[in-house]
Amino acid sequence: MDSPTLSQALRAGTRDAHIRAERMPFVQRILRKTVVRADYAAYLRSLAEVYKALEERLGGASEWLKALHPRELYRTLALEADLQVLDPKAVAEPVAVAAAAARRIRELPETHVLAQAYVRYLGDLSGGQALAPLVEDALDLRDGAGSAFYRFPGIDPRAFKASYREGLDRLPLDPHQEREVVEAAVRAFQEHESIFRALEEGAEARTREGPPS
Ligand code: HEM
């Protein structure tokens, strides 16, 4: 049997991690439309830390890595726009594990940056696309204000994902490097699990404290 391509190895290697991520209680808040503004704003602030670091790395990366990630993918500006709508007084704070993940991204070798980008952007262009209407409903958002994060002007998710996978499979990586990318992707999923766990703790604490008087 032929050995799997990188895109196949990534999908198979992160399948279990993906199932765990989908089941996280904070993710369930989004899926079940029980998420509230303060919790969602903390989520976006946490994501903003991660994307800022990731996109700084991608912007200054080698050509092969840059070429896989056009600017239309970048989420930093969309996150800032959503936060202007959802948390204009900047009350929400990122969870500490998100800031730690961002610090780590700034130090990673490029093969690991690739893995981080795969986990974020392919996720955003897959399950992420189904989340916009749920978040808009849960938070009563109108006319796209507050949900720019889910929109990728100039990108057709299905076509992009197909060409991204082709791009991954054309990279001149040896089997050892390919394994390293898959391991780094699993690690990126684990970091997101930690972020979701911390967000859930924050959400539960806010529920206990009740709304601000
Ligand atoms: C809200 C819960 C989630 C749902 C319902 C969901 C759903 C999906 C679905 C249906 C696909 C397959 C799309 C396709 O084959 O083209 C997918 C792929 C993917 N998702 Fe998720 N997802 C969720 C959460 C996440 C999270 C939290 C992450 C990462 C932080 C993530 C990362 C990914 C990645 C990297 C892929 C691409 C896998 C591949 O084909 O290589 N997902 N997701």
Side-chain angles (χ1 to χ4, degrees), residues 76-94:
T76 300
L77 293 179
L79 285 165
E80 280 170 12
D82 288 347
L83 281 162
Q84 271 301 323
V85 174
L86 293 165
D87 183 32
K89 292 188 183 148
V91 176
E93 290 190 20

Side-chain angles (χ1 to χ4, degrees), residues 19-34:
I19 292 170
R20 280 198 301 279
E22 269 183 76
R23 291 181 182 160
M24 300 289 297
F26 191 85
V27 176
Q28 291 297 315
R29 283 179 192 260
I30 298 176
L31 290 175
R32 294 183 181 157
K33 301 200 275 189
T34 55

